[in-house]
Structure formats: structure tokens, C-alpha cells
Amino acid sequence: MSGSLTVEITEDLAEPHHVRRVVFIEEQGFSEDEEWDDLDAEAVQLVIREAGKAVASARLLRDGETGKIGRICVLKPNRGQSLGAALVRFGIKQFRDTPGVTRVYLSAQEHALGFYERLGFVAYGAPYLDGSVSHRDMELRL
């Protein structure tokens, strides 16, 4: 990842929503109803900016002992720069630093299993469809 691109927490939902709209709705074909939920208000929103504009985003949620990293996405021109890995590593550190959190969970698109395995996650359970895309649950024990 370029030294000038860093993960930041943002309160501005417009930034991650723009990246998610481009990646999940326009590029991958998820519907508005599949993408937008009421969890954004309680989530910690992460972005990576280039030239002042968000080019990658993710969100962090907590449910008891489980931290969840979700909606991980990178705009197509910015892929291959380790931005997705930076978001995941930032999320893992946030949860590691949160008392009481013992595991990190994510729902991975099946084509990305190897990416998450390289970051320490292990797949479990059967594949399932989210929208029309096959996913697997993955976890990392802290």
C-alpha cells in the first residue's frame, strides 16, 4: 500500500456509501435493498482516501464477543494496492484493542477466500448466497 494512503475512521456516511454503491450495486449487481441496512448508524466506518476522495471502505460492528468486519470494498482503479488488506488489518487491530472481543467474523465472497485466509481467517459452514453471490463465513480467533 502506498505510504500516503492510510485507513481512517469517518463519521461521513457519504464516503463509504459512494464506494459501496460503485462496487456492490453498479459493479456487482446487488440491489439497493440488499446493500443498505440500518446497521450503518451503529457501525464504525473506515475509509482510505486518495487525493481527498474515498477509494476503499469497510465497516466494523460488534456483537458481544464478536467483532464483524463487513462491506469491504475497493474501487476498481485502486485494486492491487493492498487497500483491502489494510482495511482488514485495521479492523482486526481495533477489535484486538477492544476488551471482551475474542473473535473477528466476516462474510466472504467465495472468490476472495484465499485473500482472507492469508490474513488469518478460517472458513466454516456451508456456502450460501448473498444476493446472487456465493459467500462463506470466516473467523479469526483473537
Side-chain angles (χ1 to χ4, degrees), residues 32-79:
E32 297 271 343
D33 287 342
E34 289 165 333
E35 179 54 30
W36 310 123
D37 58 30
D38 59 357
L39 298 177
D40 278 330
E42 68 186 78
V44 174
Q45 302 288 335
L46 308 179
V47 294
I48 298 175
R49 294 182 187 94
E50 180 179 66
K53 295 190 186 281
V55 297
S57 70
R59 71 180 185 185
L60 308 179
L61 293 160
R62 181 178 176 186
D63 183 9
E65 296 178 353
T66 300
K68 181 178 181 184
I69 305 173
R71 302 300 204 269
I72 303 158
C73 56
V74 178
L75 295 178
K76 192 176 267 187
N78 299 91
R79 293 181 191 153

mmCIF file of all heavy atoms in Angstrom, residues 32-79:
data_model
loop_
_atom_site.group_PDB
_atom_site.id
_atom_site.type_symbol
_atom_site.label_atom_id
_atom_site.label_comp_id
_atom_site.label_asym_id
_atom_site.label_seq_id
_atom_site.Cartn_x
_atom_site.Cartn_y
_atom_site.Cartn_z
ATOM 1 N N GLU A 32 -30.417 -2.231 -4.232
ATOM 2 C CA GLU A 32 -30.406 -1.218 -3.156
ATOM 3 C C GLU A 32 -30.822 -1.872 -1.835
ATOM 4 O O GLU A 32 -30.210 -1.631 -0.799
ATOM 5 C CB GLU A 32 -31.376 -0.078 -3.494
ATOM 6 C CG GLU A 32 -31.023 0.699 -4.728
ATOM 7 C CD GLU A 32 -30.111 1.876 -4.471
ATOM 8 O OE1 GLU A 32 -29.988 2.313 -3.313
ATOM 9 O OE2 GLU A 32 -29.507 2.365 -5.440
ATOM 10 N N ASP A 33 -31.879 -2.680 -1.864
ATOM 11 C CA ASP A 33 -32.372 -3.313 -0.636
ATOM 12 C C ASP A 33 -31.350 -4.268 -0.031
ATOM 13 O O ASP A 33 -31.290 -4.414 1.189
ATOM 14 C CB ASP A 33 -33.677 -4.080 -0.903
ATOM 15 C CG ASP A 33 -34.849 -3.144 -1.114
ATOM 16 O OD1 ASP A 33 -34.756 -1.960 -0.735
ATOM 17 O OD2 ASP A 33 -35.872 -3.601 -1.671
ATOM 18 N N GLU A 34 -30.570 -4.938 -0.887
ATOM 19 C CA GLU A 34 -29.555 -5.859 -0.376
ATOM 20 C C GLU A 34 -28.378 -5.095 0.251
ATOM 21 O O GLU A 34 -27.764 -5.565 1.199
ATOM 22 C CB GLU A 34 -29.026 -6.752 -1.502
ATOM 23 C CG GLU A 34 -30.042 -7.773 -1.973
ATOM 24 C CD GLU A 34 -29.672 -8.416 -3.296
ATOM 25 O OE1 GLU A 34 -28.951 -7.794 -4.113
ATOM 26 O OE2 GLU A 34 -30.115 -9.552 -3.517
ATOM 27 N N GLU A 35 -28.065 -3.930 -0.282
ATOM 28 C CA GLU A 35 -26.889 -3.200 0.186
ATOM 29 C C GLU A 35 -27.148 -2.341 1.415
ATOM 30 O O GLU A 35 -26.356 -2.307 2.333
ATOM 31 C CB GLU A 35 -26.313 -2.321 -0.935
ATOM 32 C CG GLU A 35 -25.097 -1.520 -0.515
ATOM 33 C CD GLU A 35 -23.990 -2.371 0.091
ATOM 34 O OE1 GLU A 35 -23.832 -3.556 -0.272
ATOM 35 O OE2 GLU A 35 -23.258 -1.858 0.965
ATOM 36 N N TRP A 36 -28.242 -1.640 1.433
ATOM 37 C CA TRP A 36 -28.463 -0.669 2.514
ATOM 38 C C TRP A 36 -29.269 -1.296 3.641
ATOM 39 O O TRP A 36 -30.287 -1.932 3.414
ATOM 40 C CB TRP A 36 -29.165 0.575 1.979
ATOM 41 C CG TRP A 36 -28.501 1.128 0.755
ATOM 42 C CD1 TRP A 36 -29.071 1.329 -0.463
ATOM 43 C CD2 TRP A 36 -27.132 1.528 0.614
ATOM 44 N NE1 TRP A 36 -28.152 1.831 -1.342
ATOM 45 C CE2 TRP A 36 -26.948 1.971 -0.713
ATOM 46 C CE3 TRP A 36 -26.040 1.568 1.478
ATOM 47 C CZ2 TRP A 36 -25.729 2.433 -1.204
ATOM 48 C CZ3 TRP A 36 -24.819 2.021 0.996
ATOM 49 C CH2 TRP A 36 -24.670 2.454 -0.314
ATOM 50 N N ASP A 37 -28.797 -1.108 4.863
ATOM 51 C CA ASP A 37 -29.497 -1.609 6.043
ATOM 52 C C ASP A 37 -29.406 -0.559 7.145
ATOM 53 O O ASP A 37 -28.842 0.511 6.947
ATOM 54 C CB ASP A 37 -28.924 -2.966 6.494
ATOM 55 C CG ASP A 37 -27.437 -2.899 6.811
ATOM 56 O OD1 ASP A 37 -26.938 -1.835 7.242
ATOM 57 O OD2 ASP A 37 -26.750 -3.918 6.641
ATOM 58 N N ASP A 38 -29.951 -0.888 8.293
ATOM 59 C CA ASP A 38 -29.956 0.082 9.390
ATOM 60 C C ASP A 38 -28.725 -0.040 10.288
ATOM 61 O O ASP A 38 -28.660 0.591 11.335
ATOM 62 C CB ASP A 38 -31.240 -0.050 10.207
ATOM 63 C CG ASP A 38 -31.423 -1.435 10.807
ATOM 64 O OD1 ASP A 38 -30.580 -2.330 10.540
ATOM 65 O OD2 ASP A 38 -32.402 -1.640 11.536
ATOM 66 N N LEU A 39 -27.732 -0.834 9.881
ATOM 67 C CA LEU A 39 -26.547 -1.032 10.723
ATOM 68 C C LEU A 39 -25.484 0.044 10.532
ATOM 69 O O LEU A 39 -24.592 0.189 11.377
ATOM 70 C CB LEU A 39 -25.935 -2.411 10.449
ATOM 71 C CG LEU A 39 -26.838 -3.604 10.758
ATOM 72 C CD1 LEU A 39 -26.141 -4.902 10.367
ATOM 73 C CD2 LEU A 39 -27.250 -3.616 12.218
ATOM 74 N N ASP A 40 -25.557 0.820 9.460
ATOM 75 C CA ASP A 40 -24.538 1.839 9.223
ATOM 76 C C ASP A 40 -24.452 2.863 10.350
ATOM 77 O O ASP A 40 -23.373 3.354 10.674
ATOM 78 C CB ASP A 40 -24.772 2.556 7.897
ATOM 79 C CG ASP A 40 -24.219 1.774 6.722
ATOM 80 O OD1 ASP A 40 -23.219 1.052 6.901
ATOM 81 O OD2 ASP A 40 -24.786 1.887 5.628
ATOM 82 N N ALA A 41 -25.591 3.203 10.951
ATOM 83 C CA ALA A 41 -25.602 4.220 12.002
ATOM 84 C C ALA A 41 -24.800 3.785 13.228
ATOM 85 O O ALA A 41 -24.176 4.615 13.889
ATOM 86 C CB ALA A 41 -27.043 4.546 12.392
ATOM 87 N N GLU A 42 -24.796 2.480 13.532
ATOM 88 C CA GLU A 42 -24.071 1.997 14.715
ATOM 89 C C GLU A 42 -22.663 1.505 14.394
ATOM 90 O O GLU A 42 -21.868 1.249 15.297
ATOM 91 C CB GLU A 42 -24.869 0.893 15.407
ATOM 92 C CG GLU A 42 -24.964 -0.379 14.586
ATOM 93 C CD GLU A 42 -25.879 -1.413 15.208
ATOM 94 O OE1 GLU A 42 -27.111 -1.267 15.081
ATOM 95 O OE2 GLU A 42 -25.355 -2.360 15.821
ATOM 96 N N ALA A 43 -22.345 1.377 13.124
ATOM 97 C CA ALA A 43 -21.041 0.849 12.710
ATOM 98 C C ALA A 43 -19.957 1.923 12.762
ATOM 99 O O ALA A 43 -20.230 3.115 12.618
ATOM 100 C CB ALA A 43 -21.136 0.288 11.297
ATOM 101 N N VAL A 44 -18.730 1.463 12.937
ATOM 102 C CA VAL A 44 -17.566 2.327 12.754
ATOM 103 C C VAL A 44 -17.211 2.226 11.275
ATOM 104 O O VAL A 44 -16.966 1.141 10.762
ATOM 105 C CB VAL A 44 -16.381 1.862 13.633
ATOM 106 C CG1 VAL A 44 -15.126 2.670 13.322
ATOM 107 C CG2 VAL A 44 -16.742 1.967 15.114
ATOM 108 N N GLN A 45 -17.204 3.358 10.591
ATOM 109 C CA GLN A 45 -16.970 3.393 9.152
ATOM 110 C C GLN A 45 -15.500 3.691 8.873
ATOM 111 O O GLN A 45 -14.944 4.653 9.417
ATOM 112 C CB GLN A 45 -17.836 4.482 8.504
ATOM 113 C CG GLN A 45 -19.324 4.309 8.746
ATOM 114 C CD GLN A 45 -19.935 3.162 7.971
ATOM 115 O OE1 GLN A 45 -19.431 2.746 6.930
ATOM 116 N NE2 GLN A 45 -21.051 2.645 8.476
ATOM 117 N N LEU A 46 -14.889 2.864 8.031
ATOM 118 C CA LEU A 46 -13.491 3.041 7.659
ATOM 119 C C LEU A 46 -13.400 3.457 6.190
ATOM 120 O O LEU A 46 -14.155 2.957 5.363
ATOM 121 C CB LEU A 46 -12.719 1.729 7.829
ATOM 122 C CG LEU A 46 -12.814 1.019 9.171
ATOM 123 C CD1 LEU A 46 -12.004 -0.272 9.142
ATOM 124 C CD2 LEU A 46 -12.356 1.931 10.303
ATOM 125 N N VAL A 47 -12.468 4.343 5.895
ATOM 126 C CA VAL A 47 -12.199 4.712 4.503
ATOM 127 C C VAL A 47 -10.698 4.856 4.295
ATOM 128 O O VAL A 47 -9.938 5.095 5.238
ATOM 129 C CB VAL A 47 -12.878 6.041 4.075
ATOM 130 C CG1 VAL A 47 -14.388 5.916 4.083
ATOM 131 C CG2 VAL A 47 -12.415 7.208 4.909
ATOM 132 N N ILE A 48 -10.309 4.693 3.060
ATOM 133 C CA ILE A 48 -8.972 5.060 2.607
ATOM 134 C C ILE A 48 -9.194 6.069 1.497
ATOM 135 O O ILE A 48 -9.985 5.830 0.586
ATOM 136 C CB ILE A 48 -8.175 3.843 2.088
ATOM 137 C CG1 ILE A 48 -7.974 2.822 3.214
ATOM 138 C CG2 ILE A 48 -6.828 4.290 1.514
ATOM 139 C CD1 ILE A 48 -7.309 1.530 2.773
ATOM 140 N N ARG A 49 -8.520 7.209 1.616
ATOM 141 C CA ARG A 49 -8.685 8.280 0.625
ATOM 142 C C ARG A 49 -7.438 8.412 -0.233
ATOM 143 O O ARG A 49 -6.328 8.231 0.247
ATOM 144 C CB ARG A 49 -8.938 9.609 1.320
ATOM 145 C CG ARG A 49 -10.237 9.682 2.069
ATOM 146 C CD ARG A 49 -10.437 11.063 2.700
ATOM 147 N NE ARG A 49 -11.602 11.102 3.549
ATOM 148 C CZ ARG A 49 -11.570 10.892 4.860
ATOM 149 N NH1 ARG A 49 -10.433 10.667 5.472
ATOM 150 N NH2 ARG A 49 -12.691 10.925 5.565
ATOM 151 N N GLU A 50 -7.681 8.776 -1.492
ATOM 152 C CA GLU A 50 -6.602 9.134 -2.403
ATOM 153 C C GLU A 50 -6.991 10.485 -2.996
ATOM 154 O O GLU A 50 -8.111 10.637 -3.510
ATOM 155 C CB GLU A 50 -6.459 8.088 -3.505
ATOM 156 C CG GLU A 50 -5.353 8.410 -4.492
ATOM 157 C CD GLU A 50 -5.237 7.339 -5.558
ATOM 158 O OE1 GLU A 50 -6.185 7.191 -6.356
ATOM 159 O OE2 GLU A 50 -4.211 6.652 -5.575
ATOM 160 N N ALA A 51 -6.102 11.443 -2.910
ATOM 161 C CA ALA A 51 -6.374 12.797 -3.411
ATOM 162 C C ALA A 51 -7.678 13.349 -2.823
ATOM 163 O O ALA A 51 -8.465 13.991 -3.507
ATOM 164 C CB ALA A 51 -6.412 12.814 -4.937
ATOM 165 N N GLY A 52 -7.909 13.045 -1.536
ATOM 166 C CA GLY A 52 -9.065 13.582 -0.833
ATOM 167 C C GLY A 52 -10.376 12.864 -1.066
ATOM 168 O O GLY A 52 -11.389 13.227 -0.480
ATOM 169 N N LYS A 53 -10.386 11.817 -1.901
ATOM 170 C CA LYS A 53 -11.624 11.086 -2.184
ATOM 171 C C LYS A 53 -11.504 9.640 -1.705
ATOM 172 O O LYS A 53 -10.471 9.008 -1.900
ATOM 173 C CB LYS A 53 -11.924 11.100 -3.678
ATOM 174 C CG LYS A 53 -12.208 12.491 -4.221
ATOM 175 C CD LYS A 53 -12.729 12.406 -5.641
ATOM 176 C CE LYS A 53 -12.882 13.762 -6.254
ATOM 177 N NZ LYS A 53 -14.041 14.481 -5.880
ATOM 178 N N ALA A 54 -12.582 9.131 -1.103
ATOM 179 C CA ALA A 54 -12.589 7.750 -0.631
ATOM 180 C C ALA A 54 -12.487 6.796 -1.815
ATOM 181 O O ALA A 54 -13.217 6.929 -2.800
ATOM 182 C CB ALA A 54 -13.854 7.467 0.169
ATOM 183 N N VAL A 55 -11.554 5.839 -1.719
ATOM 184 C CA VAL A 55 -11.372 4.840 -2.772
ATOM 185 C C VAL A 55 -11.554 3.413 -2.241
ATOM 186 O O VAL A 55 -11.569 2.461 -3.014
ATOM 187 C CB VAL A 55 -9.990 4.976 -3.458
ATOM 188 C CG1 VAL A 55 -9.879 6.324 -4.165
ATOM 189 C CG2 VAL A 55 -8.849 4.776 -2.476
ATOM 190 N N ALA A 56 -11.685 3.285 -0.918
ATOM 191 C CA ALA A 56 -11.887 1.979 -0.293
ATOM 192 C C ALA A 56 -12.638 2.205 1.013
ATOM 193 O O ALA A 56 -12.495 3.255 1.644
ATOM 194 C CB ALA A 56 -10.551 1.292 -0.029
ATOM 195 N N SER A 57 -13.430 1.205 1.408
ATOM 196 C CA SER A 57 -14.166 1.353 2.660
ATOM 197 C C SER A 57 -14.511 -0.004 3.252
ATOM 198 O O SER A 57 -14.467 -1.035 2.576
ATOM 199 C CB SER A 57 -15.438 2.191 2.458
ATOM 200 O OG SER A 57 -16.399 1.479 1.708
ATOM 201 N N ALA A 58 -14.857 0.037 4.525
ATOM 202 C CA ALA A 58 -15.338 -1.134 5.261
ATOM 203 C C ALA A 58 -16.078 -0.608 6.486
ATOM 204 O O ALA A 58 -16.006 0.584 6.799
ATOM 205 C CB ALA A 58 -14.186 -2.040 5.688
ATOM 206 N N ARG A 59 -16.765 -1.502 7.169
ATOM 207 C CA ARG A 59 -17.405 -1.091 8.414
ATOM 208 C C ARG A 59 -17.176 -2.142 9.483
ATOM 209 O O ARG A 59 -17.004 -3.333 9.177
ATOM 210 C CB ARG A 59 -18.890 -0.804 8.219
ATOM 211 C CG ARG A 59 -19.749 -2.029 7.976
ATOM 212 C CD ARG A 59 -21.204 -1.623 7.807
ATOM 213 N NE ARG A 59 -22.047 -2.812 7.679
ATOM 214 C CZ ARG A 59 -23.329 -2.782 7.419
ATOM 215 N NH1 ARG A 59 -23.950 -1.626 7.246
ATOM 216 N NH2 ARG A 59 -24.027 -3.903 7.326
ATOM 217 N N LEU A 60 -17.154 -1.685 10.723
ATOM 218 C CA LEU A 60 -16.926 -2.539 11.876
ATOM 219 C C LEU A 60 -18.166 -2.522 12.756
ATOM 220 O O LEU A 60 -18.702 -1.457 13.066
ATOM 221 C CB LEU A 60 -15.730 -2.046 12.691
ATOM 222 C CG LEU A 60 -14.420 -1.809 11.939
ATOM 223 C CD1 LEU A 60 -13.353 -1.298 12.907
ATOM 224 C CD2 LEU A 60 -13.954 -3.067 11.232
ATOM 225 N N LEU A 61 -18.598 -3.718 13.174
ATOM 226 C CA LEU A 61 -19.721 -3.868 14.085
ATOM 227 C C LEU A 61 -19.309 -4.813 15.203
ATOM 228 O O LEU A 61 -18.469 -5.690 14.996
ATOM 229 C CB LEU A 61 -20.938 -4.449 13.355
ATOM 230 C CG LEU A 61 -21.584 -3.556 12.306
ATOM 231 C CD1 LEU A 61 -22.415 -4.381 11.331
ATOM 232 C CD2 LEU A 61 -22.442 -2.504 12.995
ATOM 233 N N ARG A 62 -19.920 -4.653 16.356
ATOM 234 C CA ARG A 62 -19.637 -5.562 17.466
ATOM 235 C C ARG A 62 -20.932 -6.181 17.957
ATOM 236 O O ARG A 62 -21.945 -5.505 18.097
ATOM 237 C CB ARG A 62 -18.969 -4.797 18.616
ATOM 238 C CG ARG A 62 -18.639 -5.729 19.764
ATOM 239 C CD ARG A 62 -17.945 -5.041 20.895
ATOM 240 N NE ARG A 62 -17.753 -5.985 21.989
ATOM 241 C CZ ARG A 62 -17.274 -5.661 23.156
ATOM 242 N NH1 ARG A 62 -16.907 -4.418 23.392
ATOM 243 N NH2 ARG A 62 -17.144 -6.566 24.096
ATOM 244 N N ASP A 63 -20.859 -7.495 18.220
ATOM 245 C CA ASP A 63 -21.979 -8.220 18.806
ATOM 246 C C ASP A 63 -21.401 -9.077 19.913
ATOM 247 O O ASP A 63 -20.888 -10.179 19.658
ATOM 248 C CB ASP A 63 -22.683 -9.063 17.739
ATOM 249 C CG ASP A 63 -23.905 -9.793 18.285
ATOM 250 O OD1 ASP A 63 -24.308 -9.522 19.439
ATOM 251 O OD2 ASP A 63 -24.449 -10.644 17.563
ATOM 252 N N GLY A 64 -21.421 -8.570 21.129
ATOM 253 C CA GLY A 64 -20.865 -9.303 22.268
ATOM 254 C C GLY A 64 -19.376 -9.528 22.096
ATOM 255 O O GLY A 64 -18.601 -8.583 21.957
ATOM 256 N N GLU A 65 -18.977 -10.812 22.080
ATOM 257 C CA GLU A 65 -17.554 -11.167 21.965
ATOM 258 C C GLU A 65 -17.067 -11.181 20.525
ATOM 259 O O GLU A 65 -15.897 -11.444 20.268
ATOM 260 C CB GLU A 65 -17.315 -12.554 22.582
ATOM 261 C CG GLU A 65 -17.591 -12.612 24.066
ATOM 262 C CD GLU A 65 -17.383 -14.005 24.642
ATOM 263 O OE1 GLU A 65 -17.151 -14.966 23.872
ATOM 264 O OE2 GLU A 65 -17.452 -14.132 25.867
ATOM 265 N N THR A 66 -17.959 -10.907 19.575
ATOM 266 C CA THR A 66 -17.618 -10.989 18.161
ATOM 267 C C THR A 66 -17.547 -9.610 17.521
ATOM 268 O O THR A 66 -18.494 -8.824 17.632
ATOM 269 C CB THR A 66 -18.651 -11.842 17.404
ATOM 270 O OG1 THR A 66 -18.656 -13.162 17.958
ATOM 271 C CG2 THR A 66 -18.327 -11.922 15.924
ATOM 272 N N GLY A 67 -16.435 -9.351 16.860
ATOM 273 C CA GLY A 67 -16.317 -8.163 16.025
ATOM 274 C C GLY A 67 -16.554 -8.588 14.596
ATOM 275 O O GLY A 67 -16.106 -9.657 14.176
ATOM 276 N N LYS A 68 -17.280 -7.779 13.844
ATOM 277 C CA LYS A 68 -17.567 -8.114 12.448
ATOM 278 C C LYS A 68 -16.994 -7.031 11.541
ATOM 279 O O LYS A 68 -17.237 -5.849 11.750
ATOM 280 C CB LYS A 68 -19.062 -8.249 12.204
ATOM 281 C CG LYS A 68 -19.364 -8.617 10.758
ATOM 282 C CD LYS A 68 -20.843 -8.814 10.494
ATOM 283 C CE LYS A 68 -21.049 -9.196 9.035
ATOM 284 N NZ LYS A 68 -22.439 -9.311 8.665
ATOM 285 N N ILE A 69 -16.238 -7.474 10.546
ATOM 286 C CA ILE A 69 -15.753 -6.577 9.503
ATOM 287 C C ILE A 69 -16.607 -6.849 8.273
ATOM 288 O O ILE A 69 -16.696 -7.986 7.815
ATOM 289 C CB ILE A 69 -14.268 -6.821 9.180
ATOM 290 C CG1 ILE A 69 -13.408 -6.728 10.444
ATOM 291 C CG2 ILE A 69 -13.792 -5.817 8.122
ATOM 292 C CD1 ILE A 69 -11.954 -7.113 10.237
ATOM 293 N N GLY A 70 -17.239 -5.821 7.757
ATOM 294 C CA GLY A 70 -18.130 -6.023 6.625
ATOM 295 C C GLY A 70 -18.030 -4.933 5.588
ATOM 296 O O GLY A 70 -17.382 -3.910 5.785
ATOM 297 N N ARG A 71 -18.704 -5.181 4.473
ATOM 298 C CA ARG A 71 -18.789 -4.222 3.372
ATOM 299 C C ARG A 71 -17.405 -3.743 2.916
ATOM 300 O O ARG A 71 -17.195 -2.587 2.607
ATOM 301 C CB ARG A 71 -19.667 -3.031 3.741
ATOM 302 C CG ARG A 71 -21.101 -3.354 4.150
ATOM 303 C CD ARG A 71 -21.852 -4.064 3.028
ATOM 304 N NE ARG A 71 -23.290 -3.909 3.111
ATOM 305 C CZ ARG A 71 -24.110 -4.737 3.741
ATOM 306 N NH1 ARG A 71 -23.625 -5.792 4.379
ATOM 307 N NH2 ARG A 71 -25.412 -4.519 3.733
ATOM 308 N N ILE A 72 -16.464 -4.679 2.885
ATOM 309 C CA ILE A 72 -15.084 -4.371 2.477
ATOM 310 C C ILE A 72 -15.070 -4.208 0.964
ATOM 311 O O ILE A 72 -15.443 -5.130 0.238
ATOM 312 C CB ILE A 72 -14.132 -5.506 2.908
ATOM 313 C CG1 ILE A 72 -14.210 -5.724 4.414
ATOM 314 C CG2 ILE A 72 -12.696 -5.209 2.452
ATOM 315 C CD1 ILE A 72 -13.743 -7.099 4.858
ATOM 316 N N CYS A 73 -14.654 -3.042 0.490
ATOM 317 C CA CYS A 73 -14.642 -2.820 -0.957
ATOM 318 C C CYS A 73 -13.607 -1.768 -1.348
ATOM 319 O O CYS A 73 -13.297 -0.872 -0.580
ATOM 320 C CB CYS A 73 -16.021 -2.442 -1.463
ATOM 321 S SG CYS A 73 -16.767 -1.010 -0.682
ATOM 322 N N VAL A 74 -13.099 -1.947 -2.564
ATOM 323 C CA VAL A 74 -12.085 -1.063 -3.129
ATOM 324 C C VAL A 74 -12.506 -0.741 -4.560
ATOM 325 O O VAL A 74 -12.871 -1.636 -5.323
ATOM 326 C CB VAL A 74 -10.689 -1.746 -3.128
ATOM 327 C CG1 VAL A 74 -9.634 -0.844 -3.754
ATOM 328 C CG2 VAL A 74 -10.287 -2.158 -1.712
ATOM 329 N N LEU A 75 -12.447 0.542 -4.915
ATOM 330 C CA LEU A 75 -12.772 0.921 -6.288
ATOM 331 C C LEU A 75 -11.812 0.244 -7.255
ATOM 332 O O LEU A 75 -10.623 0.087 -6.964
ATOM 333 C CB LEU A 75 -12.698 2.443 -6.463
ATOM 334 C CG LEU A 75 -13.717 3.262 -5.670
ATOM 335 C CD1 LEU A 75 -13.494 4.755 -5.917
ATOM 336 C CD2 LEU A 75 -15.144 2.865 -6.018
ATOM 337 N N LYS A 76 -12.321 -0.151 -8.415
ATOM 338 C CA LYS A 76 -11.561 -0.932 -9.389
ATOM 339 C C LYS A 76 -10.192 -0.326 -9.725
ATOM 340 O O LYS A 76 -9.190 -1.050 -9.739
ATOM 341 C CB LYS A 76 -12.389 -1.129 -10.658
ATOM 342 C CG LYS A 76 -11.800 -2.166 -11.599
ATOM 343 C CD LYS A 76 -12.699 -2.407 -12.802
ATOM 344 C CE LYS A 76 -13.623 -3.558 -12.501
ATOM 345 N NZ LYS A 76 -14.421 -3.963 -13.669
ATOM 346 N N PRO A 77 -10.071 0.989 -9.971
ATOM 347 C CA PRO A 77 -8.746 1.538 -10.322
ATOM 348 C C PRO A 77 -7.721 1.437 -9.189
ATOM 349 O O PRO A 77 -6.525 1.589 -9.426
ATOM 350 C CB PRO A 77 -9.030 3.013 -10.641
ATOM 351 C CG PRO A 77 -10.489 3.107 -10.872
ATOM 352 C CD PRO A 77 -11.121 1.998 -10.080
ATOM 353 N N ASN A 78 -8.193 1.187 -7.958
ATOM 354 C CA ASN A 78 -7.301 1.148 -6.800
ATOM 355 C C ASN A 78 -7.024 -0.262 -6.296
ATOM 356 O O ASN A 78 -6.351 -0.440 -5.285
ATOM 357 C CB ASN A 78 -7.891 1.996 -5.680
ATOM 358 C CG ASN A 78 -8.049 3.436 -6.099
ATOM 359 O OD1 ASN A 78 -9.097 3.819 -6.606
ATOM 360 N ND2 ASN A 78 -7.011 4.215 -5.949
ATOM 361 N N ARG A 79 -7.519 -1.267 -6.999
ATOM 362 C CA ARG A 79 -7.268 -2.647 -6.575
ATOM 363 C C ARG A 79 -5.819 -3.015 -6.868
ATOM 364 O O ARG A 79 -5.164 -2.413 -7.708
ATOM 365 C CB ARG A 79 -8.238 -3.596 -7.277
ATOM 366 C CG ARG A 79 -9.649 -3.351 -6.791
ATOM 367 C CD ARG A 79 -10.671 -4.252 -7.410
ATOM 368 N NE ARG A 79 -11.994 -3.717 -7.046
ATOM 369 C CZ ARG A 79 -13.076 -3.885 -7.754
ATOM 370 N NH1 ARG A 79 -13.048 -4.603 -8.861
ATOM 371 N NH2 ARG A 79 -14.219 -3.354 -7.362
#
